[in-house]
């Protein structure tokens, strides 16, 4: 057995059950070895799409997922998706060939590129430790929630390997929280009259929701999430939904009124706090995170607690001297029952003249589509509408690949999420710009037989730039385009498709849902373009 075959088999035996990629000469043998050892290979049409599919799949399953790419250009094609995954601390192993000779056209310093985007670079240099390095890459991805780039030099892949088996070490247990830090948190909770919890990515793990809800019940806290954890508290009457730029007016009002804000596995960054303006100046701010170096990285804190969300919440609940009503007044409960959702806020329907208001469109889709869904959203002016007007059943119903704010990842995100959650209807919400950037993967949706709904919010522009620069009188020819026939493009790939210029045009969605769903459905929605979305000003504050 050679190095490539041994590494492929070792990755699969170490629990990597799914690998996405585009196969070329430099990753052909290692990919086939993974498949032979039991992994599922999902072919994408572009390495960038494959990277984001792997990222989304890992987020939705919680398991290490692999990306397999060719050396040089195959790896660089994947870099935007790899960067998104690295910024999001996704457990992922990138298996890539590597040309180490500067004479090769494929030569580029891949370890340096990996490190530059926040991934962990590893290079296999000898047959003797090749399998051990592959197993260690999986362990690092799993235990540290990192993207590991496993470089396989072409001149090493064909060398013979000793037959030794290297087992995957047991998962590293999180250290118990410091009792003194827990006591300080419990004291702050006992003193608070209007506490709010904001749960982030670190609260998506097993048992975290139950532990947080128990603690919140004891201290009377209201429950919010960052965008990536949207849906975590769905079903509780004290759910504020998302904190930050996407927050409803009521959620923003209640979070601003908090005297204690605790971020649970949440960075409390500028997006989640509206650049700090969402949190009162005199509020006590606490952050709970597994890593001490993460505490206070994004904003000043009263103090931090190091530990796993579930463990810290459980310990704090046990340390509380009693129960309190806190922020959970009858008035707050009534307000949340009436105005928890964005769709509960009145608005003037701006549709007409062949264009549909994106709010009216998304509310109608929310009513039509099954509740058991997984929603993936691309980037752009439109993104707040599907992110907040399409409800989700829980935290596994929303996949938000926006740590790098790249346009064009939405469709690939939906594919990865769909394969991770085949029990749910996958919904991809794209702008026209992102839809065209990711259009290569329309074929992938059809080939995989995914019963996906793709909604294109077409304003014939890069709308964020139009609405940001337009009011100042700047010329906008560089960011406006002719209207495209996305329905025709989709049909050419094998989709069912319909064009929507009015809510009434959505009748075909009901027909598709009632049918066998043997083909995916694309909705080409020609949306109004006169006004920016409510969150856009917040977005440009972050540039």
């Amino acid at each position: 057995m050679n190095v490539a075959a041994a590494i492929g088999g070792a990755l699969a035996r170490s629990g990597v059950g799914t690998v996405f990629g585009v196969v070329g000469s430099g990753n052909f043998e290692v990919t086939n070895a993974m498949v032979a050892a039991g992994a599922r290979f999902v072919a994408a049409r572009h390495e960038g799409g494959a990277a984001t599919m792997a990222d989304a799949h890992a987020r939705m399953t919680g398991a290490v997922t692999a990306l397999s790419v060719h050396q040089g250009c195959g790896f660089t094609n994947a870099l935007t998706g790899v960067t998104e995954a690295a910024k999001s601390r996704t457990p992922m192993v990138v298996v890539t060939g590597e040309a180490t000779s500067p004479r090769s056209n494929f030569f580029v310093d891949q370890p340096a590129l990996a490190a530059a985007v926040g991934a962990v670079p590893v290079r296999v240099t000898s047959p003797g430790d090749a399998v051990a390095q592959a197993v260690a890459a999986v362990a690092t991805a799993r235990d540290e929630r990192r993207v590991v780039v496993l470089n396989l030099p072409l001149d090493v892949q064909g060398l013979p390997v000793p037959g030794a088996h290297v087992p995957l070490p047991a998962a590293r247990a999180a250290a118990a929280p410091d009792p003194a830090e827990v006591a300080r948190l419990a004291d702050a909770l006992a003193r608070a009259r209007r506490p709010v919890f904001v749960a982030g990515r670190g609260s998506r793990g097993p048992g975290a929701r139950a532990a947080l809800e128990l603690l919140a019940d004891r201290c009377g806290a209201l429950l919010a999430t960052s965008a990536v954890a949207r849906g975590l508290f769905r079903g509780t009457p004290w759910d504020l939904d998302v904190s930050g730029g996407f927050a409803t007016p009521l959620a923003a009002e209640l979070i601003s009124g908090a005297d204690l804000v605790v971020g649970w596995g949440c960075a409390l960054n500028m997006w989640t706090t509206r650049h700090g303006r969402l949190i009162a100046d005199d509020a006590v701010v606490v952050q709970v995170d597994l890593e001490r170096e993460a505490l206070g990285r994004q904003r000043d804190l009263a103090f931090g607690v190091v530990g796993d969300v579930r463990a810290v919440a459980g310990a704090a609940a046990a340390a509380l001297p009693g129960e309190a009503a806190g922020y959970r007044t009858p008035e707050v409960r009534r307000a949340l029952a009436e105005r928890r959702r964005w769709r509960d806020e009145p608005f003037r329907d701006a549709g007409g003249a062949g264009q549909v208001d994106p709010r009216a469109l998304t509310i109608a889709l929310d009513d039509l589509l099954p509740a058991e869904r997984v929603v993936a959203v691309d980037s752009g002016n439109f993104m707040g509408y599907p992110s907040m007007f399409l409800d989700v059943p829980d935290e596994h119903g929303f996949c938000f690949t926006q740590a790098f704010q790249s346009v064009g990842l939405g469709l690939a995100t939906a594919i990865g999420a769909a394969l991770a959650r085949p029990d749910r209807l996958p919904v991809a919400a794209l702008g026209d710009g992102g839809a065209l950037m990711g259009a290569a993967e329309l074929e992938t949706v059809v080939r995989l037989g995914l019963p996906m709904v793709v909604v294109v919010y077409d304003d014939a522009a890069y709308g964020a730039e139009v609405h940001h620069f337009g009011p100042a009188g700047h010329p906008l020819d560089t960011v406006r385009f002719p209207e495209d026939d996305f329905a025709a493009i989709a049909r050419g790939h094998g989709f069912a498709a319909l064009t929507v210029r009015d809510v009434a045009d959505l009748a075909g969605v009901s027909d598709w849902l009632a049918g066998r769903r043997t083909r995916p459905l694309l909705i080409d929605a020609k949306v109004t373009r006169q006004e920016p979305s409510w969150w856009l000003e917040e977005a440009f504050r972050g540039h």
Side-chain angles (χ1 to χ4, degrees), residues 68-259:
S68 180
V69 294
H70 188 269
Q71 66 272 14
C73 50
F75 180 61
T76 58
N77 276 349
L79 267 183
T80 296
V82 171
T83 305
E84 168 64 32
K87 283 177 171 285
S88 299
R89 298 296 293 268
T90 299
M92 189 165 95
V93 175
V94 180
V95 184
T96 174
E98 184 186 14
T100 53
S101 169
R103 294 181 178 179
S104 170
N105 284 359
F106 295 122
F107 173 76
V108 66
D109 192 343
Q110 293 182 185
L113 288 173
V117 301
V120 178
V122 175
R123 175 183 285 153
V124 174
T125 57
S126 69
D129 58 1
V131 170
Q133 284 184 293
V135 173
V138 177
T140 298
R142 179 197 65 192
D143 294 341
E144 300 180 21
R145 302 195 66 81
R146 299 293 300 274
V147 173
V148 180
V149 176
L150 186 62
N151 292 281
L152 309 183
L154 301 181
D155 55 354
V156 174
Q157 288 192 38
L159 298 177
V161 173
H165 172 63
V166 179
L168 181 72
R172 198 162 57 218
D178 184 334
E181 293 183 350
V182 171
R184 189 175 182 186
L185 174 59
D187 180 66
L189 292 169
R191 292 174 181 273
R193 296 294 173 264
R194 297 179 305 281
V196 169
F197 291 175
V198 183
R201 192 187 319 277
S203 297
R204 290 172 56 103
R209 170 180 174 161
L212 288 172
E213 287 186 348
L214 175 63
L215 178 60
D217 288 344
R218 297 208 63 198
C219 68
L222 304 182
L223 298 162
T225 70
S226 65
V228 293
R230 183 173 188 236
L232 180 67
F233 299 118
R234 194 64 79 244
T236 170
W238 307 108
D239 178 15
L240 302 181
D241 211 346
V242 175
S243 172
F246 287 165
T248 65
L250 177 61
E253 174 189 327
L254 292 170
I255 295 167
S256 297
D259 60 356

Side-chain angles (χ1 to χ4, degrees), residues 380-421:
N381 176 62
F382 78 97
M383 65 188 296
Y385 303 116
S387 293
M388 296 306 297
F389 285 77
L390 286 178
D391 204 2
V392 295
D394 55 31
E395 72 275 21
H396 300 296
F398 191 62
C399 196
F400 195 64
T401 48
Q402 285 298 313
F404 198 32
Q405 285 186 261
S406 174
V407 176
L409 306 188
L411 183 59
T413 299
I415 294 170
L419 293 172
R421 295 303 306 254

Side-chain angles (χ1 to χ4, degrees), residues 286-473:
V286 181
Q287 185 183 352
V288 178
D289 200 282
L290 271 175
E291 299 175 353
R292 188 166 297 279
E293 56 268 28
L295 299 177
R297 183 181 292 165
Q298 296 290 335
R299 61 157 297 132
D300 292 337
L301 305 173
F303 62 92
V305 181
V306 176
D308 170 75
V309 166
R310 179 181 179 181
V312 173
L320 277 176
E323 296 189 2
Y327 218 159
R328 299 184 172 189
T329 66
E331 294 78 14
V332 169
R333 186 180 190 123
R334 184 166 52 252
L336 285 170
E338 296 172 353
R339 297 173 53 212
R340 183 185 67 81
R341 305 174 300 173
W342 260 109
R343 64 178 292 169
D344 298 325
E345 297 293 327
F347 67 92
R348 180 186 62 82
D349 191 327
Q355 296 173 0
V356 62
D357 188 305
R359 294 163 294 189
L361 167 77
T362 315
I363 289 170
L365 286 171
D366 188 44
D367 291 338
L368 284 169
L369 300 177
E372 285 296 312
R373 62 184 72 148
V374 55
V375 177
V377 181
D378 212 319
S379 189
N381 176 62
F382 78 97
M383 65 188 296
Y385 303 116
S387 293
M388 296 306 297
F389 285 77
L390 286 178
D391 204 2
V392 295
D394 55 31
E395 72 275 21
H396 300 296
F398 191 62
C399 196
F400 195 64
T401 48
Q402 285 298 313
F404 198 32
Q405 285 186 261
S406 174
V407 176
L409 306 188
L411 183 59
T413 299
I415 294 170
L419 293 172
R421 295 303 306 254
D423 56 321
R424 293 185 171 179
L425 176 75
V427 181
L430 319 175
D432 50 304
L436 289 171
M437 286 187 187
E441 305 307 342
L442 291 170
E443 185 277 337
T444 304
V445 176
V446 174
R447 172 168 37 88
L448 295 177
L450 298 176
M452 183 182 293
V453 175
V454 177
V455 187
V456 180
Y457 291 74
D458 182 10
D459 64 357
Y462 289 122
E465 284 65 32
V466 167
H467 296 298
H468 181 67
F469 293 104

